[in-house]
Amino acid sequence: TEQAVVLDEGGTVGIGSLDSTDEGLGVINDEGTSFTVAIELHVGDTVTATLPILNKSDAPANAILELLPPAGVDVEVEPQTGATLKEAQMSKNAWLLWVNNTNSETLVITISPKDDLKPGFYTLSGRIIQITG
């Protein structure tokens, strides 16, 4: 069976740079259940990845977002301003999501290297696991 809470198949993982000019790329798997972000990081950078979250059912649903950040990289997750999507951090790398049955909404992941991270190329991956809906 297909899960209802997915990354919007028509969307992409957006990579934005808050205070650097480094580039990155984000991709979504065919099922819309996982993604990978590849970015170049240097100490002092703060990069955002935006995830298009979609609930394909006719009722609100819950899911878990699991992230696998590389060692030396901190991540924060929050809904885009004005979204009805809600999140709560459950553990260091997992967030509980409540997704309304509206159009696609955006979840923002802020990615920051720790002070001792060597400059280079890093990969962040994640997946969505639906638990109700």
Side-chain angles (χ1 to χ4, degrees), residues 15 17 20-25 38-41 45 47 120-122:
I15 304 296
S17 186
S20 73
T21 57
D22 298 323
E23 294 188 22
L25 177 66
I39 51 176
E40 183 178 1
L41 289 174
D45 287 351
V47 179
F121 300 93
Y122 295 89

Side-chain angles (χ1 to χ4, degrees), residues 74-129:
D74 289 327
V75 293
E76 292 180 27
V77 175
E78 62 186 354
Q80 188 173 40
T81 303
T84 61
L85 174 71
K86 296 184 183 347
E87 61 77 27
Q89 191 164 2
M90 297 171 47
S91 67
K92 181 179 177 186
N93 295 321
W95 286 260
L96 180 62
L97 304 178
W98 178 86
V99 186
N100 202 354
N101 56 329
T102 60
N103 295 328
S104 180
E105 297 201 71
T106 302
L107 196 60
V108 180
I109 301 172
T110 304
I111 304 162
S112 307
K114 294 182 180 177
D115 290 340
D116 59 350
L117 184 77
K118 292 182 181 180
F121 300 93
Y122 295 89
T123 303
L124 168 74
S125 59
R127 66 182 181 152
I128 295 178
I129 305 158

